[in-house]
PDB file of all heavy atoms in Angstrom:
ATOM      1  N   ALA F 500     119.330  43.620 195.680  1.00  0.00           N
ATOM      2  CA  ALA F 500     118.439  42.550 195.230  1.00  0.00           C
ATOM      3  C   ALA F 500     117.817  41.812 196.410  1.00  0.00           C
ATOM      4  O   ALA F 500     116.619  41.498 196.413  1.00  0.00           O
ATOM      5  CB  ALA F 500     119.203  41.582 194.329  1.00  0.00           C
ATOM      6  N   ASP F 501     118.627  41.522 197.426  1.00  0.00           N
ATOM      7  CA  ASP F 501     118.106  40.810 198.594  1.00  0.00           C
ATOM      8  C   ASP F 501     117.082  41.659 199.348  1.00  0.00           C
ATOM      9  O   ASP F 501     116.085  41.139 199.860  1.00  0.00           O
ATOM     10  CB  ASP F 501     119.250  40.411 199.518  1.00  0.00           C
ATOM     11  CG  ASP F 501     120.117  39.302 198.938  1.00  0.00           C
ATOM     12  OD1 ASP F 501     119.702  38.677 197.944  1.00  0.00           O
ATOM     13  OD2 ASP F 501     121.224  39.072 199.478  1.00  0.00           O
ATOM     14  N   ALA F 502     117.332  42.973 199.412  1.00  0.00           N
ATOM     15  CA  ALA F 502     116.355  43.860 200.057  1.00  0.00           C
ATOM     16  C   ALA F 502     115.050  43.875 199.263  1.00  0.00           C
ATOM     17  O   ALA F 502     113.955  43.868 199.844  1.00  0.00           O
ATOM     18  CB  ALA F 502     116.930  45.270 200.170  1.00  0.00           C
ATOM     19  N   TRP F 503     115.159  43.891 197.932  1.00  0.00           N
ATOM     20  CA  TRP F 503     113.961  43.823 197.085  1.00  0.00           C
ATOM     21  C   TRP F 503     113.165  42.554 197.383  1.00  0.00           C
ATOM     22  O   TRP F 503     111.944  42.607 197.568  1.00  0.00           O
ATOM     23  CB  TRP F 503     114.367  43.861 195.616  1.00  0.00           C
ATOM     24  CG  TRP F 503     113.217  43.709 194.653  1.00  0.00           C
ATOM     25  CD1 TRP F 503     112.489  44.711 194.089  1.00  0.00           C
ATOM     26  CD2 TRP F 503     112.662  42.481 194.146  1.00  0.00           C
ATOM     27  NE1 TRP F 503     111.508  44.194 193.269  1.00  0.00           N
ATOM     28  CE2 TRP F 503     111.599  42.828 193.283  1.00  0.00           C
ATOM     29  CE3 TRP F 503     112.966  41.138 194.334  1.00  0.00           C
ATOM     30  CZ2 TRP F 503     110.835  41.862 192.610  1.00  0.00           C
ATOM     31  CZ3 TRP F 503     112.203  40.172 193.673  1.00  0.00           C
ATOM     32  CH2 TRP F 503     111.145  40.537 192.823  1.00  0.00           C
ATOM     33  N   LEU F 504     113.849  41.417 197.444  1.00  0.00           N
ATOM     34  CA  LEU F 504     113.156  40.149 197.657  1.00  0.00           C
ATOM     35  C   LEU F 504     112.448  40.140 199.011  1.00  0.00           C
ATOM     36  O   LEU F 504     111.297  39.691 199.122  1.00  0.00           O
ATOM     37  CB  LEU F 504     114.144  38.994 197.563  1.00  0.00           C
ATOM     38  CG  LEU F 504     113.552  37.596 197.701  1.00  0.00           C
ATOM     39  CD1 LEU F 504     112.491  37.339 196.636  1.00  0.00           C
ATOM     40  CD2 LEU F 504     114.662  36.543 197.621  1.00  0.00           C
ATOM     41  N   GLU F 505     113.109  40.636 200.024  1.00  0.00           N
ATOM     42  CA  GLU F 505     112.501  40.663 201.353  1.00  0.00           C
ATOM     43  C   GLU F 505     111.268  41.564 201.376  1.00  0.00           C
ATOM     44  O   GLU F 505     110.201  41.172 201.889  1.00  0.00           O
ATOM     45  CB  GLU F 505     113.523  41.141 202.382  1.00  0.00           C
ATOM     46  CG  GLU F 505     112.962  41.238 203.786  1.00  0.00           C
ATOM     47  CD  GLU F 505     113.965  41.770 204.796  1.00  0.00           C
ATOM     48  OE1 GLU F 505     115.121  42.046 204.418  1.00  0.00           O
ATOM     49  OE2 GLU F 505     113.582  41.923 205.975  1.00  0.00           O
ATOM     50  N   ARG F 506     111.394  42.766 200.821  1.00  0.00           N
ATOM     51  CA  ARG F 506     110.318  43.746 200.910  1.00  0.00           C
ATOM     52  C   ARG F 506     109.153  43.411 199.982  1.00  0.00           C
ATOM     53  O   ARG F 506     107.991  43.523 200.367  1.00  0.00           O
ATOM     54  CB  ARG F 506     110.876  45.143 200.631  1.00  0.00           C
ATOM     55  CG  ARG F 506     111.910  45.556 201.669  1.00  0.00           C
ATOM     56  CD  ARG F 506     112.672  46.815 201.313  1.00  0.00           C
ATOM     57  NE  ARG F 506     113.776  47.014 202.248  1.00  0.00           N
ATOM     58  CZ  ARG F 506     114.583  48.056 202.250  1.00  0.00           C
ATOM     59  NH1 ARG F 506     114.420  49.025 201.334  1.00  0.00           N
ATOM     60  NH2 ARG F 506     115.564  48.156 203.127  1.00  0.00           N
ATOM     61  N   VAL F 507     109.472  43.002 198.765  1.00  0.00           N
ATOM     62  CA  VAL F 507     108.408  42.605 197.839  1.00  0.00           C
ATOM     63  C   VAL F 507     107.757  41.308 198.304  1.00  0.00           C
ATOM     64  O   VAL F 507     106.525  41.166 198.278  1.00  0.00           O
ATOM     65  CB  VAL F 507     108.955  42.471 196.408  1.00  0.00           C
ATOM     66  CG1 VAL F 507     107.921  41.838 195.478  1.00  0.00           C
ATOM     67  CG2 VAL F 507     109.366  43.836 195.867  1.00  0.00           C
ATOM     68  N   GLY F 508     108.579  40.358 198.766  1.00  0.00           N
ATOM     69  CA  GLY F 508     108.039  39.092 199.225  1.00  0.00           C
ATOM     70  C   GLY F 508     107.059  39.261 200.373  1.00  0.00           C
ATOM     71  O   GLY F 508     106.014  38.594 200.419  1.00  0.00           O
ATOM     72  N   GLU F 509     107.367  40.153 201.300  1.00  0.00           N
ATOM     73  CA  GLU F 509     106.471  40.389 202.434  1.00  0.00           C
ATOM     74  C   GLU F 509     105.121  40.922 201.955  1.00  0.00           C
ATOM     75  O   GLU F 509     104.060  40.502 202.449  1.00  0.00           O
ATOM     76  CB  GLU F 509     107.129  41.376 203.401  1.00  0.00           C
ATOM     77  CG  GLU F 509     106.332  41.626 204.671  1.00  0.00           C
ATOM     78  CD  GLU F 509     107.044  42.565 205.626  1.00  0.00           C
ATOM     79  OE1 GLU F 509     107.940  43.331 205.180  1.00  0.00           O
ATOM     80  OE2 GLU F 509     106.710  42.535 206.830  1.00  0.00           O
ATOM     81  N   ARG F 510     105.148  41.831 200.992  1.00  0.00           N
ATOM     82  CA  ARG F 510     103.914  42.413 200.487  1.00  0.00           C
ATOM     83  C   ARG F 510     103.116  41.413 199.645  1.00  0.00           C
ATOM     84  O   ARG F 510     101.886  41.358 199.742  1.00  0.00           O
ATOM     85  CB  ARG F 510     104.246  43.676 199.684  1.00  0.00           C
ATOM     86  CG  ARG F 510     104.686  44.836 200.581  1.00  0.00           C
ATOM     87  CD  ARG F 510     105.499  45.880 199.840  1.00  0.00           C
ATOM     88  NE  ARG F 510     105.811  47.019 200.709  1.00  0.00           N
ATOM     89  CZ  ARG F 510     106.758  47.024 201.636  1.00  0.00           C
ATOM     90  NH1 ARG F 510     107.508  45.943 201.839  1.00  0.00           N
ATOM     91  NH2 ARG F 510     106.970  48.098 202.372  1.00  0.00           N
ATOM     92  N   VAL F 511     103.804  40.644 198.838  1.00  0.00           N
ATOM     93  CA  VAL F 511     103.107  39.650 198.022  1.00  0.00           C
ATOM     94  C   VAL F 511     102.483  38.575 198.907  1.00  0.00           C
ATOM     95  O   VAL F 511     101.338  38.159 198.685  1.00  0.00           O
ATOM     96  CB  VAL F 511     104.068  39.034 196.988  1.00  0.00           C
ATOM     97  CG1 VAL F 511     103.447  37.812 196.315  1.00  0.00           C
ATOM     98  CG2 VAL F 511     104.444  40.074 195.939  1.00  0.00           C
TER      99      VAL F 511
END
Side-chain angles (χ1 to χ4, degrees):
D501 289 347
W503 176 92
L504 183 58
E505 178 182 359
R506 297 170 189 184
V507 171
E509 184 178 21
R510 288 158 176 78
V511 169

